[in-house]
Amino acid sequence: MNKQYKSADTVIIGGGVFGCAIAYYYTRNNPGKKIIVLDRNELCNAATSHAAALVTKIRAKKPFIPLSLETYQVVAEMEKILGESMDMKFSGVIHLAASEAREKELKELMEIAAEFNQPAHYISPEEAHQMSPWLKTDEALSIGYMPDEAYCDPYLLGTFFSRCAKLQGAEFIQGLEAINLIMDGNDVLGVHTKEGDITAGTTIVASGAWAPKFAREAGVSLPMAPTRSQYWITEKNDIFPVNSPIVLLPDAQAYARPEGGSLLFGIRERNSLSVSADLIPQNVNDFSFSPDKGVQDLSEVIDKLARFFPKVYDIGMKYYVAGFSGYTPDNNLSMGVAPGVNHLLMATGCVGAGISVSGGVGLAFAELAAGKANPYDFSAFDLQRFGEVDAFSPEWLERCARARSTKVSG
């Protein structure tokens, strides 16, 4: 047995946006209780810092919406605590439908917006083009606009959570790896580290791409797979106003948002890449996501994007960014109380929506860790909904990769 290093009421493995958000809510709602967040590298330096960071509230999957609404509320709350602006970009979102199927989905999305009392209205192709001069709208059957949607700097959001949590008493330990879980039968008692044991009443795995490894130690089948998310940023051009809205193009399986006079865009490649958690290095920046910086993937699908962004062929690409998201076959989050073991929670499976839902996820797990009821309905995210799975098998990895490749929404 390792020597005793520290003890806490709750320990979190992973200092990304989920881990930092949980620490914020836990310390806010449970003064006097101790929480420790471990990260073997630096806070928010893996998936969080690589995110495109669309903080979209209105989605076809309604269980996501309350989680995202909480993110908007907590940003304002943290800005008051720190006396700083996080500079959220309230640009709004354009949804362009260019087929009957997508038009029907947009109509349903507009109805969902009304259900959640979020502003949304239809705009003309001319209005959409005026907002986003790069956008070709002549194929649009209908265009929806939701003015209150936003995007943000994902690293800044994560560090706002961690800074506020520290002010409230959370302890963050960077550069210290959680080697494995401390198990006593079906009980999880904390984590082993090279410095010694950290014991805790509750252990939360929020380690993103590496989460399946910790789940396996506890005998839990974690239904997610680390799947590559990638996007490109163009050279600067006058057709990309800095204050233009996010654009979702489901007929092209693409999204775009402004990036300081450039355009950041992502498009679903034909063959997404899912990787066993055993093959991911300790520092995700050391992983080769695409030796050609996504050129082949982009070339195979760029014609779909060019229907709506014809100048994509002419404007140079300045940056390529890739990272891992935890994908599932149904594109729902996979998170909650780990089945079959005690005192273990899994804050995993972000399916590309981690930044947007971080507020709600943080609140949910803070309450669960404190022995309280989850304020949200997580039934759609249940860890056992696929039955027994082998999260490391080629078949499962391919199934999750295919889910990302066929994903239509932003």
Side-chain angles (χ1 to χ4, degrees), residues 205-228:
V205 175
S207 56
W210 298 273
K213 297 174 71 172
F214 292 105
R216 180 173 58 189
E217 290 176 22
V220 174
S221 300
L222 185 60
M224 57 151 276
T227 302
R228 180 185 60 195

Side-chain angles (χ1 to χ4, degrees), residues 10 13 16 47 111 177 306 387:
T10 296
I13 303 171
E111 292 170 353
E177 181 181 5

Side-chain angles (χ1 to χ4, degrees), residues 43-324:
L43 297 180
C44 303
N45 195 42
T48 297
S49 62
H50 292 79
L54 308 186
V55 195
T56 47
K57 293 176 280 189
I58 302 307
R59 297 168 177 263
K61 292 183 180 295
K62 290 197 282 187
F64 286 52
I65 296 175
L67 309 180
S68 296
L69 291 172
E70 176 61 30
T71 303
Y72 278 75
Q73 292 184 28
V74 76
V75 166
E77 186 176 293
M78 292 190 296
E79 288 177 331
K80 289 181 180 178
I81 292 172
L82 296 175
E84 300 174 23
S85 170
M86 212 188 78
D87 197 25
M88 284 262 287
K89 305 295 187 184
F90 290 89
S91 61
V93 173
I94 287 174
H95 293 260
L96 189 151
S99 65
E100 289 185 4
R102 303 288 90 85
E103 186 177 33
K104 180 183 177 184
E105 291 169 358
L106 177 56
K107 182 176 181 293
E108 293 170 353
L109 202 62
M110 301 294 271
E111 292 170 353
I112 291 172
E115 179 183 341
F116 283 87
N117 298 311
Q118 295 296 308
H121 59 273
Y122 289 99
I123 60 175
S124 68
E126 294 75 22
E127 288 174 300
H129 179 72
Q130 187 174 13
M131 292 179 184
S132 298
W134 60 269
L135 181 62
K136 182 173 175 282
T137 60
D138 57 346
E139 291 188 46
L141 298 180
S142 59
I143 303 175
Y145 179 57
M146 298 174 185
D148 285 359
E149 305 278 49
Y151 63 95
C152 72
D153 178 329
Y155 180 79
L156 199 57
L157 175 60
T159 55
F160 262 54
F161 277 126
S162 66
R163 289 169 62 197
C164 289
K166 286 178 186 177
L167 290 175
Q168 295 167 172
E171 181 177 0
F172 290 82
I173 305 177
Q174 301 181 72
L176 181 62
E177 181 181 5
I179 298 172
N180 50 36
L181 301 175
I182 303 172
M183 299 290 301
D184 182 10
N186 290 330
D187 294 330
V188 177
L189 306 180
V191 297
H192 294 295
T193 79
K194 65 181 179 181
E195 299 294 332
D197 290 347
I198 299 178
T199 58
T202 300
T203 300
I204 303 176
V205 175
S207 56
W210 298 273
K213 297 174 71 172
F214 292 105
R216 180 173 58 189
E217 290 176 22
V220 174
S221 300
L222 185 60
M224 57 151 276
T227 302
R228 180 185 60 195
S229 292
Q230 55 185 350
Y231 60 83
W232 296 261
I233 302 174
T234 70
E235 298 284 354
K236 290 190 176 183
N237 194 285
D238 290 342
I239 63 173
F240 308 130
V242 295
N243 60 348
S244 59
I246 300 164
V247 176
L248 300 184
L249 300 166
D251 289 282
Q253 294 181 272
Y255 65 87
R257 68 161 175 83
E259 179 66 21
S262 302
L263 190 72
L264 181 156
F265 70 90
I267 186 167
R268 315 295 178 215
E269 61 270 50
R270 288 180 182 170
N271 297 296
S272 290
L273 173 69
S274 284
V275 179
S276 167
D278 285 333
L279 301 179
I280 301 172
Q282 290 190 4
N283 189 331
V284 72
N285 296 312
D286 295 333
F287 186 84
S288 178
F289 288 94
S290 178
D292 66 356
K293 296 186 176 181
V295 171
Q296 180 62 35
D297 289 324
L298 183 58
S299 67
E300 290 176 355
V301 294
I302 197 170
D303 57 317
K304 296 195 296 183
L305 180 61
R307 290 175 57 195
F308 309 100
F309 178 22
K311 291 193 176 180
V312 68
Y313 293 119
D314 306 318
I315 291 176
M317 300 298 154
K318 191 170 184 178
Y319 298 109
Y320 168 75
V321 181
F324 282 118

Side-chain angles (χ1 to χ4, degrees), residues 8-24:
D9 295 289
T10 296
V11 63
I12 300 175
I13 303 171
V17 71
F18 281 0
C20 293
I22 296 165
Y24 168 73

